[in-house]
């Protein structure tokens, strides 16, 4: 943090020293249309009477198709399992079913939600640490692929498979030099390969999941696992699959926007002069499908997979939700404060920062909210607080350069929140209702640019999209 390099107050009415640089998010067409519509957002806000999330499932379909195109382009058999923990919406699962993607689940509840969204049991992957017996039984019954995370789980699965079996299994690998609590060590893998009884266990391959967004680490581990696959086949296992997990980046903001922020960020931009120590990388130069392409190109991984007849599975969560949703709050209070001799606004919105998860990781969600409706005015440094009694309940601690002073009744639209932000930490704190999700679609499901009318309905209610 460069707290001593605050630029002199210049331009922007002398406010720049206490105001963060703008962080406009990349936006999809559907968002532009929603923001440009004179009535749509207001109608939804009036009907719902509290904060809400917008989802545009057609964008999920498009994201899935872009990953599928990368697999096809490189001649690799691929399988996509949506990492369901990134968003709970049934509409996202239905988008997966429509686009031919599977779902990666970690609880019996996620498992049944995926089934009822139309995803076949055989297209489910079950990951997570020692799984409940209920979840393992569902997996065996529905022939889902289980990523086994400890040796005992293999024994339990073998016992459950009696009658319904064999259980379909990949072994989750502890990456080299990793301190992860997940995965099997080399010794545990060796033992599993010899101990797995083919009547009850069908060993279909190996999996891993890495934190961070490193291309080379994923490709190198996949290459090493191709050797493991050959070895397992030598032992008689019908190995078909390597899963390289999730962790495909999302590009929220432009490179120069991100650079300008990182170069200038300092505690004076934040309410209480308190800046986070680190930030999620909101600019990603090689996001989602491009990252998959880079992985497949690394040391000709694609060729090696093809030669070995191995299917590559991926488990993207965040990347399938890129630009598929935003979160809308209504301004219910505006007060004025002074920092370092400059006035700024603190807004209170009608929801809490539980609906913006990044705020719960001692960091800050950096893509700027849009103040709606757009009107001319003077730049106004603005922090955003939640409607709770917690000092730390702030949706934006930094002073955002809003294009005009916000007023009671205005809406704040936080962009690109579908991946992890909107619902992973939500609770009915203060007995405030959990914000509903509104699913948007075009009347004829045509490309949004074809000017089909935007329609909306509450998520989880009847409807096809
Ligand atoms: C969380 C998780 C994912 C999804 O990760 P993203 O970063 O959202 O792509 C995939 N696989 C496993 C095992 C996970 O735990």
């Amino acid at each position: 943090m460069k707290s001593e390099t605050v630029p002199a107050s210049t331009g922007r009415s002398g406010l720049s020293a206490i105001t963060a640089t703008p962080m406009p998010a990349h936006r999809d067409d559907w968002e532009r249309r929603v923001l440009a519509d004179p009535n749509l957002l207001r109608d939804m806000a009036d009907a719902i009477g509290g904060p809400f999330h917008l989802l545009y499932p057609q964008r999920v379909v498009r994201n899935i198709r872009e990953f599928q195109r990368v697999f096809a382009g490189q001649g690799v058999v691929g399988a996509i399992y949506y990492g369901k923990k990134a968003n709970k919406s049934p509409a996202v699962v239905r988008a997966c079913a429509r686009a031919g993607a599977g779902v990666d689940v970690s609880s019996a509840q996620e498992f049944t939600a995926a089934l009822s969204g139309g995803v076949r049991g055989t297209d489910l992957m079950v990951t997570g640490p020692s799984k409940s017996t209920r979840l393992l039984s569902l997996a065996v019954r529905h022939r889902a692929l289980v990523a086994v995370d400890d040796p005992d789980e293999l024994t339990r699965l073998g016992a459950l498979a009696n009658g319904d079996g064999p259980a379909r299994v990949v072994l989750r690998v502890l990456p080299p030099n990793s301190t992860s609590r997940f995965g099997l060590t080399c010794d545990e893998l060796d033992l599993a390969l010899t101990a797995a009884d083919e009547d009850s266990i069908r060993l279909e391959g190996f999996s891993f999941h890495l934190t961070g967004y490193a291309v080379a680490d994923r490709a190198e581990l996949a290459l090493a696992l191709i050797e493991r696959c050959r070895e397992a086949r030598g032992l008689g296992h019908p190995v078909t699959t390597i899963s390289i997990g999730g962790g495909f980046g999302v590009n929220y903001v432009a490179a120069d926007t991100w650079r300008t922020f990182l170069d200038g960020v300092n505690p004076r931009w934040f309410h209480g002069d308190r800046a986070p120590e680190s930030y999620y990388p909101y600019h990603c130069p090689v996001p989602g499908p491009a990252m998959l392409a880079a992985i497949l190109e690394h040391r000709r991984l694609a060729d090696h997979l093809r030669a070995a007849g191995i299917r590559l599975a991926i488990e993207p969560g965040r990347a399938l939700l890129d630009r598929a949703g935003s979160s809308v709050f209504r301004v219910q209070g505006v007060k004025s404060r002074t920092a370092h001799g400059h006035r700024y606004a603190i807004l209170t919105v009608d929801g809490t920062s539980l609906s913006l998860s990044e705020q719960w990781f001692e960091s800050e969600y950096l893509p700027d909210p849009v103040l709606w409706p757009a009107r001319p005015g003077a730049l106004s440094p603005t922090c955003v607080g939640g409607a709770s009694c917690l000092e730390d309940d702030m949706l934006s601690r930094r002073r955002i350069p809003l294009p005009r002073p916000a007023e009671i009744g205005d809406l704040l639209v936080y962009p690109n929140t579908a991946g992890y932000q909107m619902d992973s930490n939500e609770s009915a704190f203060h007995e405030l209702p959990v914000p509903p999700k509104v699913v948007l679609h075009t009347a004829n499901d045509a490309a949004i640019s074809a000017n089909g009318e935007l329609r909306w309905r509450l998520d989880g209610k009847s409807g096809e999209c």
Side-chain angles (χ1 to χ4, degrees), residues 195-265:
D197 163 23
E198 64 187 46
D199 292 334
S200 55
I201 301 289
R202 191 184 151 82
L203 208 159
E204 298 191 5
F206 300 90
S207 76
F208 62 84
H209 172 70
L210 306 180
T211 49
Y213 297 107
V215 166
D217 292 358
R218 287 176 170 80
E220 291 293 334
L221 189 44
L223 285 164
L225 288 179
I226 292 177
E227 286 315 306
R228 271 277 183 198
C229 288
R230 291 212 169 90
E231 183 194 339
R233 281 173 176 165
L235 292 166
H237 298 293
V239 167
T240 54
T241 301
I242 293 173
S243 176
I244 60 171
F248 292 85
V250 163
N251 197 22
Y252 293 84
V253 302
D256 55 345
T257 300
W258 185 233
R259 182 43 47 211
T260 305
F261 176 86
L262 290 181
D263 286 347
V265 66

Side-chain angles (χ1 to χ4, degrees), residues 85 104 127 172 209 246-248 315-318 420:
K85 68 176 184 284
D104 167 26
T127 57
R172 181 155 170 184
H209 172 70
F248 292 85
E315 304 156 15
R318 192 188 289 262
Y420 293 107

